[in-house]
């Protein structure tokens, strides 16, 4: 049987916010196809860890590697997608446009981006919401939209931060 290599590896991660330790010495290894659940009480650093693994910040100590190579936050952002507890949307653009813009910024051709957006909204049972502004959707619908957004990106690593809290 062939041994799978580590897709994502974190070594001795430390994070401080306002000089207070939030993450202390966390190490983990995830192979392709594996699932990992991070549990703990409120305020224990779970969201901070997921933010770090998605490239939204730097550890004050330690390293993160993809496929055995140490990476910087911008490289993590290309390979990961995070559905956070509070999905962020611009209220001045309707959903479909936000999704298309995101894909176009990733270099996806216009027709392919439009196809992916239609497919993702349909899969999330939000085909009616493409031309709606986020403020017109419920919190549950916004979380469904956040799932649709990350799935159409086709990232190699999907990180979920308590995504079902409003569903």
């Amino acid at each position: 049987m062939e041994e799978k290599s580590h897709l994502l590896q974190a070594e001795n991660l430390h994070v401080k916010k306002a000089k207070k330790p939030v993450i202390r010495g966390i190490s983990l290894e995830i192979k392709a196809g594996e699932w990992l659940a991070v549990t703990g009480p409120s305020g224990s650093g779970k969201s901070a860890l997921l933010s770090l693994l998605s490239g939204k910040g730097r550890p004050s100590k330690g390293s993160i590697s993809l496929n055995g190579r140490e990476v910087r936050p911008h490289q993590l952002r290309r390979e990961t997608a995070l559905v956070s507890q509070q999905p962020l949307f611009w209220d001045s653009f309707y959903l479909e446009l936000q999704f298309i813009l995101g894909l176009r910024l990733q270099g996806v051709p216009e027709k392919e981006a439009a196809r992916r957006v239609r497919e993702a909204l349909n899969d999330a049972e939000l085909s009616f919401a493409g031309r709606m502004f986020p403020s017109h959707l419920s919190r549950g619908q916004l979380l469904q939209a956040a799932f649709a957004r990350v799935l159409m990106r086709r990232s190699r690593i999907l990180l979920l931060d308590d995504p079902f809290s409003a569903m």
Side-chain angles (χ1 to χ4, degrees):
M1 190 179 292
E2 187 177 312
E3 180 72 20
K4 290 184 182 178
S5 64
H6 294 111
L7 177 60
L8 179 67
Q9 187 171 12
E11 297 267 343
N12 195 29
L13 294 180
H14 290 259
V15 173
K16 291 182 182 179
K17 290 193 179 179
K19 297 184 181 180
K20 181 183 173 196
V22 177
I23 295 175
R24 295 183 207 148
I26 291 180
S27 295
L28 59 89
E29 297 175 341
I30 305 170
K31 295 178 182 177
E34 284 187 333
W35 292 59
L36 172 71
V38 179
T39 62
S42 181
S44 63
K46 300 177 302 291
S47 294
L49 175 63
L50 292 175
S51 261
L52 199 61
L53 294 175
S54 69
K56 295 180 173 125
R58 289 179 182 245
S60 47
K61 183 179 176 187
S63 65
I64 300 173
S65 301
L66 286 171
N67 296 316
R69 298 180 67 182
E70 190 170 335
V71 292
R72 298 186 184 273
H74 74 276
Q75 294 165 305
L76 281 169
R77 285 191 296 270
R78 277 189 245 137
E79 299 291 333
T80 62
L82 173 66
V83 177
S84 63
Q85 294 175 24
Q86 301 292 324
L88 300 174
F89 292 97
W90 295 304
D91 204 42
S92 53
F93 297 109
Y94 53 86
L95 280 182
E96 188 177 272
L97 181 58
Q98 291 185 53
F99 292 176
I100 288 173
L101 287 172
L103 290 173
R104 296 290 288 136
L105 287 172
Q106 288 183 311
V108 176
E110 188 174 351
K111 286 183 180 182
E112 172 65 10
R115 187 192 64 72
R116 281 197 208 176
V117 168
R118 282 191 307 275
E119 185 178 281
L121 288 172
N122 189 49
D123 288 348
E125 298 182 0
L126 289 173
S127 55
F128 67 91
R131 298 270 177 175
M132 293 177 75
F133 292 97
S135 60
H136 296 137
L137 299 172
S138 70
R139 184 156 185 260
Q141 289 169 325
L142 288 173
L143 284 167
Q144 285 174 265
F147 266 105
R149 178 172 54 193
V150 299
L151 292 176
M152 75 182 156
R153 284 185 55 201
R154 300 182 179 160
S155 299
R156 294 176 56 206
I157 300 168
L158 178 60
L159 303 167
L160 308 174
D161 188 1
D162 198 13
F164 305 110
S165 60
M167 295 181 131

